[in-house]
Amino acid sequence: MTIYIDNHPFHYEMENLVRLFYPNEKISVISEISQEKEAEYIYTLMETNKDNISARIYAEVCIGGRKLSAEVLSGSCDGEDFEKTAERDMAVCLYKLLCEVTEKTQPWGILTGVRPIKLFRRLSEKYGEDYAKDYFQNKLLVSAEKTELSAKTEGYEKKILSYSKDNSFSLYISIPFCPSRCSYCSFVSQTVESAAKLIDPYFDLLCREIEYTAEIVKNKNLTLESVYIGGGTPTTLSASQLGKLIDTVKKNFDMNTCREFTVEAGRPDTIDESKLRAIIDGGVDRISINPQTLNDSVLEVIGRKHTSAQTLQAFELARKIGFGHINMDMIAGLPTETVESFSDTLDRICTLSPESITVHTLALKRSSRITLEGKGVQTDSKNAAAKMLSYCEKKLMNEGYIPYYLYRQSRMEGNLENVGWSKPGYEGIYNVFVMDETHTIIGCGAGAVTKLKVPFSESLTRIFNYKYPYEYISGFEEMIKRKEQVREFYDELS
């Protein structure tokens, strides 16, 4: 499929909008308009008047033997600049044509961004919540259900965001190893089997990077709000390594201001009593035990090398040892999962009463095995993922959970969302900080990204660590030099 861009700069937005309706199509974007168009195409045009404050927007869709077109007159409104209004008007114009030709609508309307709650908050703070709701539904064509979910989530985030100060930061530590690679995974992680010889040297250098980073933080008088050890699967490390890693953090950073310390114990087949004791003895107050599904046949399809029974056993062991905040992750839209089996998983998880539950929607990333093998999603019915999330919202609200953060990804099944649910008082604050881009996130380890935030602005400076463990090891000294950018950044702010 070809998208023709005529006389406007909105090619990125138009491509993302088309992908909502055709997520698996190969799409070409062309700005050079020739006489002959492809057999199936989408054409968008903007004709600006002489004073450059209004324009004629035109869209044309030729797909499946049908040819539809529409046009609107666009001009600045509600204090927006002309270009922003024109971009939205073009998106709405094209969206309505795509809805007609595909006979389906999108729950998030023309919104393609990752952080809808951040947008909702900006609108609410400037104009009030009623305006924000009206803008979502009537300007962005977001459904009433998703608009209400956005309002609820934004409300619960406010308290968490208030924790952050001008000099606040959170620490992320990457353990890029897993017992096996899930078929939907696109993260930078390697199986323990293929990368076993890298784990020890990687671990030693990671501890060095943490120590080096802490010196910079102390020098700049930054305040630590949360620590998150993720991956990958951190519990692929041995109990002694986990203990040393946590101890390295505690010895080098001032933990007196740290409100939350999380370790992802995501894969039940990597959890045992010695590792859990090393984690809890280190003072970690939040862990994740992630079933994704409690359907054993689906676990096999997606390449998870554990059973639902192992998940339940790991949860029971963590409770017995004394963990007071356990998070569990689920994924809606997994291949061969049915609405009934997904609902059964949620029901069984609720009987365990974890403090928080994160409900993801499957995202078909280009580098995942599912996408590369062309298997796609094989659920039981049309809109299965939407039905799964609808069941989640009703069930979890009835069980007393609240939606405390929400974000979206590209190529999500059904163009849906990921939502963090928790019992009141058990919100995962790192999740809010990182998705809202509230304050600086300093990353250590392979694939970690440091995001330096200028207070009271949208400005972010990114520092990238090497992606893969072998790159991290071989290029460690060069990568450490990049950390000096943290010092330079705060020197300029002071």
Side-chain angles (χ1 to χ4, degrees), residues 353-370:
S353 195
E355 284 64 37
S356 57
I357 301 171
T358 307
V359 183
H360 298 273
T361 302
L362 181 67
L364 293 175
K365 299 300 185 180
R366 290 189 182 91
S367 60
S368 68
R369 183 158 53 85
I370 284 180

Side-chain angles (χ1 to χ4, degrees), residues 206-216 248 252-253 444:
L206 176 62
C207 289
R208 279 182 56 192
E209 184 187 4
I210 292 169
E211 292 167 353
Y212 186 85
T213 301
E215 285 300 317
I216 297 175
T248 299
N252 289 278
F253 287 91
C444 294

Side-chain angles (χ1 to χ4, degrees), residues 190-206:
Q190 295 182 274
T191 64
V192 172
E193 183 179 359
S194 64
K197 64 181 180 180
L198 300 177
I199 294 178
D200 286 346
Y202 175 85
F203 178 81
D204 292 340
L205 291 175
L206 176 62

Side-chain angles (χ1 to χ4, degrees), residues 244-295:
K244 182 180 177 181
L245 178 62
I246 295 167
D247 194 47
T248 299
V249 172
K250 291 171 64 180
K251 282 183 177 178
N252 289 278
F253 287 91
D254 182 357
M255 303 298 289
N256 290 320
T257 59
C258 185
R259 300 175 185 274
E260 176 185 271
F261 196 153
T262 299
V263 171
E264 278 192 13
R267 296 285 287 266
D269 46 336
T270 66
I271 296 172
D272 61 32
E273 184 170 351
S274 63
K275 293 180 184 181
L276 289 177
R277 290 201 180 279
I279 294 169
I280 199 168
D281 289 347
V284 171
D285 53 19
R286 182 177 185 271
I287 61 169
S288 289
I289 298 174
N290 301 332
Q292 314 302 17
T293 177
L294 292 178
N295 185 327

Side-chain angles (χ1 to χ4, degrees), residues 292 330-334 337 342 359-363 377 379 384-386 388-389 392 413 416-417:
Q292 314 302 17
M330 298 176 61
I331 299 179
L334 290 171
E337 186 85 270
F342 177 88
V359 183
H360 298 273
T361 302
L362 181 67
V377 181
T379 49
M388 293 172 183
L389 291 196
C392 276
E413 174 70 4
L416 293 162
E417 70 278 343

Side-chain angles (χ1 to χ4, degrees), residues 327-385:
N327 175 78
M328 302 190 85
D329 283 9
M330 298 176 61
I331 299 179
L334 290 171
T336 73
E337 186 85 270
T338 66
V339 174
E340 289 74 21
S341 65
F342 177 88
S343 301
D344 178 67
T345 289
L346 181 61
D347 291 345
R348 293 166 69 189
I349 286 176
C350 285
T351 63
L352 299 173
S353 195
E355 284 64 37
S356 57
I357 301 171
T358 307
V359 183
H360 298 273
T361 302
L362 181 67
L364 293 175
K365 299 300 185 180
R366 290 189 182 91
S367 60
S368 68
R369 183 158 53 85
I370 284 180
T371 301
L372 293 174
E373 293 178 356
K375 291 182 177 180
V377 181
Q378 303 163 37
T379 49
D380 66 317
S381 64
K382 186 178 180 181
N383 298 325

